[in-house]
């Protein structure tokens, strides 16, 4: 068993135990303290804030649930009711000036990487090629402790007409690599994922990322 699988199994067991046994004393009752049991979904809701979740359906080698942090002050809201949509890695991945796979981005969500230019510039590039949204991953690809940053406007007069969200660098790296290893042009994803109706949400996180 490889190291990643061992980490994933141990963490899954810990999460399940925590979800079943974690107790919170509620002193708001006039009858005295009460014990409340929380589910795995409850834990995700506590930490979700304004996060968005999506699931990769294909390829199977990266079929997990991922989180996205919408941009703070640019782009439109992630009001996507698409069922399934393609997630396509931009080429080049930074998408600072132009891309060579613009046809594949049309009607899809673009995956790009942080660095080289502003978040707005990247978003405008893929928007120009018909992308309906963009996920921008951190460029710290192998840091499991990385956090989701607030993406802000670059101060120019440019307006963005599609949603933009930030994902972990490790997620972006493995998604791009997984698509390539499967010999596919894009990943097929389900978005948005309703965490209140997803009982396997907490146990289907990627094995390389710590939520």
């Amino acid at each position: 068993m490889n190291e990643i699988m061992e980490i994933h199994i141990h963490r899954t067991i810990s999460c399940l135990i925590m979800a079943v046994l974690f107790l919170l004393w509620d002193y708001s009752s006039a009858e005295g303290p009460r014990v409340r049991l929380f589910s795995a979904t409850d834990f995700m809701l506590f930490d979700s804030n304004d996060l968005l979740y999506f699931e990769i359906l294909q390829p199977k080698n990266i079929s997990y649930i991922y989180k996205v942090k919408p941009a703070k002050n640019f782009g439109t809201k992630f009001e996507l009711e698409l069922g399934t949509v393609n997630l396509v890695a931009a080429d080049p991945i930074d998408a600072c000036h132009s891309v060579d796979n613009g046809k594949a981005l049309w009607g899809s969500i673009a995956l790009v990487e942080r660095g080289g230019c502003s978040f707005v510039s990247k978003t405008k590039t893929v928007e120009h090629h018909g992308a309906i949204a963009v996920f921008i991953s951190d460029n710290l690809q192998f840091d499991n402790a990385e956090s989701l940053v607030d993406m802000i406007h670059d101060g120019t007069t440019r307006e963005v007409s599609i949603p933009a969200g930030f994902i972990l660098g490790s997620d972006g790296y493995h998604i791009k690599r997984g698509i390539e290893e499967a010999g596919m042009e894009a990943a097929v994803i389900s978005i948005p994922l309703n965490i209140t109706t997803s009982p396997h949400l907490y146990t289907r996180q990627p094995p390389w990322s710590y939520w």
Side-chain angles (χ1 to χ4, degrees):
M1 185 180 297
N2 62 44
E3 184 177 352
I4 291 180
M5 284 300 298
E6 289 181 356
I7 292 173
H8 184 50
I9 291 172
H10 292 160
R11 186 175 56 199
T12 299
I13 293 173
S14 298
C15 290
L16 289 173
I17 293 174
M18 181 175 64
V20 174
L21 300 180
F22 184 83
L23 300 176
L24 177 67
W25 291 96
D26 183 358
Y27 290 94
S28 61
S29 172
E31 300 175 354
R34 297 178 299 176
V35 174
R36 182 181 175 189
L37 187 65
F38 286 87
S39 68
T41 301
D42 289 326
F43 287 111
M44 294 303 302
L45 288 170
F46 296 155
D47 189 47
S48 65
N49 296 320
D50 60 345
L51 299 182
L52 178 76
Y53 296 89
F54 69 93
E55 179 181 12
I56 291 184
L57 306 177
Q58 294 288 345
K60 291 297 183 181
N61 59 344
I62 49 172
S63 181
Y64 302 106
I65 294 172
Y66 302 82
K67 59 183 178 180
V68 183
K69 188 171 187 178
K72 189 172 184 179
N73 62 356
F74 71 90
T76 58
K77 292 183 179 180
F78 276 93
E79 296 177 335
L80 305 174
E81 297 294 340
L82 302 171
T84 61
V85 64
N86 283 348
L87 175 62
V88 179
D91 180 21
I93 193 65
D94 64 8
C96 278
H97 305 292
S98 63
V99 294
D100 297 328
N101 60 337
K103 290 184 178 180
L105 293 179
W106 186 269
S108 303
I109 296 178
L111 173 65
V112 308
E113 187 176 287
R114 182 184 186 183
C117 61
S118 71
F119 295 128
V120 170
S121 293
K122 297 174 185 294
T123 305
K124 291 298 292 182
T125 297
V126 299
E127 179 186 354
H128 175 73
H129 288 281
I132 61 172
V134 61
F135 294 159
I136 301 176
S137 72
D138 205 337
N139 50 10
L140 300 175
Q141 298 175 347
F142 305 106
D143 185 0
N144 283 335
E146 57 193 306
S147 60
L148 294 168
V149 305
D150 285 326
M151 296 197 303
I152 61 174
H153 201 284
D154 59 9
T156 63
T157 59
R158 294 175 296 176
E159 295 184 359
V160 176
S161 301
I162 62 173
F166 192 83
I167 67 174
L168 297 175
S170 53
D171 287 350
Y173 169 78
H174 285 284
I175 290 172
K176 183 176 183 294
R177 181 180 176 185
I179 293 171
E180 293 171 349
E181 290 179 347
M184 299 173 65
E185 184 179 58
V188 179
I189 73 172
S190 175
I191 184 173
L193 191 65
N194 188 342
I195 63 174
T196 62
T197 59
S198 301
H200 303 296
L201 179 67
Y202 207 93
T203 59
R204 294 205 51 238
Q205 59 184 283
W208 54 80
S209 296
Y210 295 103
W211 282 19

